[in-house]
Amino acid sequence: MEFKELDPILHSQLRLAVVSLLISVKEAEFTFIKEKTNATAGNLSVQINKLKEAGYIEVAKQFKDNYPQTTCKITPLGIKAFEEYVNNLQSYLGVNKS
C-alpha cells in the first residue's frame, strides 16, 4: 500500500476544522468560525492567515454597523486540497474507494 503525503496546511487540527466548516457553508463570519471551533481569536487569526496564504480561503474585511466584520470563503483550490486530503487520509485508514 502506498501512503500519500498529507497536506501540512490542512494537517493542523484548527485549519482542518475551518476548511471543513467552510466546505459545508461556503462562507462564514470570523465570529461564527470562532464559536464553532472553540478557538481563541488570536490563534484563529493566525490559522486563517495561513489558509489565506496557501490560497485555500479568501478573507474579506468590511464594516457592519460600525463594527469590523471578517468573512471567510473557501476557494476552488481549497475545495480541491480538502478533497485530496480526505482521499489521502482514507488511504491511511484502508478505506476502499468504489
Side-chain angles (χ1 to χ4, degrees):
M1 178 175 9
E2 181 191 336
F3 290 105
K4 297 193 170 79
E5 196 176 319
L6 295 175
D7 186 334
I9 297 291
L10 293 179
H11 206 54
S12 142
Q13 189 176 347
L14 182 51
R15 289 192 297 262
L16 185 60
V18 170
V19 172
S20 300
L21 194 59
L22 291 175
I23 282 275
S24 61
V25 296
K26 296 289 184 239
E27 187 176 283
E29 275 184 53
F30 182 87
T31 47
F32 175 79
I33 297 170
K34 186 173 159 284
E35 283 169 21
K36 290 289 184 191
T37 59
N38 288 320
T40 63
N43 190 11
L44 185 57
S45 289
V46 169
Q47 304 312 327
I48 281 176
N49 272 333
K50 287 185 179 177
L51 288 167
K52 182 183 165 192
E53 285 166 14
Y56 292 178
I57 65 171
E58 287 171 5
V59 179
K61 293 178 186 278
Q62 61 206 23
F63 278 88
K64 185 179 178 186
D65 302 325
N66 290 328
Y67 291 99
Q69 181 185 49
T70 302
T71 307
C72 300
K73 184 179 177 183
I74 194 149
T75 64
L77 180 65
I79 294 169
K80 184 177 181 289
F82 180 77
E83 288 171 350
E84 218 166 81
Y85 182 85
V86 170
N87 287 337
N88 291 348
L89 197 54
Q90 286 174 338
S91 73
Y92 279 78
L93 303 172
V95 177
N96 292 329
K97 287 174 239 150
S98 47

